[in-house]
Amino acid sequence: MRLTHGAAVGLMVVVTLMWGTAGVVTRHLAQAHSFEITFWRSLFTMLALLVILPLWRGRAVFSQLGRGGHSLWISGVCWAVMFTAFMVALTLTSTASVLVTMALGPLFTALAARFFIGHKLPARTWVAIVVAGLGIGWMYGTQLLGGGGGSLVGTLVALCVPLAGATQWTVVQHAHAKGQEVDLVPAVLIGAALCALVTLPLAWPFRAGLHDLGLLAFLGVFQLAIPCVLSVLCAQVLKAPEVALLALLEVIFGIALAWLGAGETPAASVLTGGVLVIGALVFNELLALRGRRTTLADSALPGAH
């Protein structure tokens, strides 16, 4: 069953709300520490996907792990880096700093496409990159000058998320150019398994009690596994600029939930930098969507080729 456009938009909003719960839930953990948090979240994600994937696509989905080629496994490694960096960063700095930094993903992806695949970037994207860079520079600079060493380290760790995301996209596009398709859902499963495996020795000894394990299970299943699957369904209907715009709601939801649910007031510098980053992304994606609609309208004219 294919979603209608309106249903896909509504579902994508729900997905971003689910993604945005990571910060507020993490703030209510009582005993679990950074790598233990990462381990349990990834383990619960892996277990959830082991149930969801065969129900959704049949048991044949697991055969893709063996014949997906090196591109699938590189994509899985990138997911593992993103899972690890995201949760570790949340334990080191504010939710707002992490989410604003992660929002750079589309722009890093555009730069990767330009330098590694040769895609030409429109002027609007270069403008967005410069404006977003100013916003991030302001955020990082004030953390450095303000003596917030821990916050700066956390923000730098968070930077690994969009960098890994851009790397993954480049690998997927390179594989596509060679006639190989990379299924991202099994790649998420690989990433969760690798993340759990790598962080297990760092997570020991375990400190999480039943309260923490319940919250970590929520993160693995409802904050990550289920919304990842739902976002794939949405992406089958929505255009790339629409997905990118709606995904920005995660930043707003995440900051608001951490603010309201955990009393985590974002710093003024993070809000200022965030406005520049989000504004640049919205500007770029709206123009991209408008350009695509204009092209479609032109192609529909009589005699248009």
Side-chain angles (χ1 to χ4, degrees), residues 85-103:
F86 175 64
M87 293 311 298
V88 171
L90 276 179
T91 65
L92 294 173
T93 190
S94 70
T95 302
S97 293
V98 174
L99 293 176
V100 169
T101 302
M102 283 175 53

Side-chain angles (χ1 to χ4, degrees), residues 220-299:
V221 178
F222 296 100
Q223 188 271 328
L224 188 54
I226 291 176
C228 277
V229 171
L230 295 179
S231 67
V232 171
L233 296 176
C234 295
Q236 294 172 353
V237 178
L238 302 176
K239 297 178 179 66
E242 291 178 306
V243 174
L245 280 172
L246 290 168
L248 292 176
L249 290 173
E250 179 191 358
V251 181
I252 299 171
F253 285 144
I255 293 174
L257 287 173
W259 197 343
L260 297 173
E264 187 178 295
T265 306
S269 60
V270 175
L271 290 178
T272 304
V275 167
L276 288 173
V277 171
I278 302 303
L281 288 164
V282 169
F283 168 80
N284 185 57
E285 300 302 341
L286 281 177
L287 288 184
L289 192 59
R290 181 182 177 185
R292 180 173 297 194
R293 287 174 175 169
T294 301
T295 301
L296 290 174
D298 291 343
S299 66

Side-chain angles (χ1 to χ4, degrees), residues 37-55 61-62 65 73 76 79-80 83 185-200 216-229:
I37 295 170
T38 307
F39 165 75
W40 285 115
R41 175 177 179 256
S42 297
L43 180 65
F44 284 121
T45 299
M46 181 186 72
L47 295 175
L49 289 175
L50 286 174
V51 174
I52 294 171
L53 291 185
L55 291 176
V61 69
F62 295 122
L65 302 179
W73 286 87
W79 278 111
F83 294 160
V185 178
V188 172
L189 174 60
I190 292 173
L194 290 176
C195 182
L197 183 64
V198 171
T199 57
L200 175 57
L216 291 166
F218 175 90
L219 288 176
V221 178
F222 296 100
Q223 188 271 328
L224 188 54
I226 291 176
C228 277
V229 171

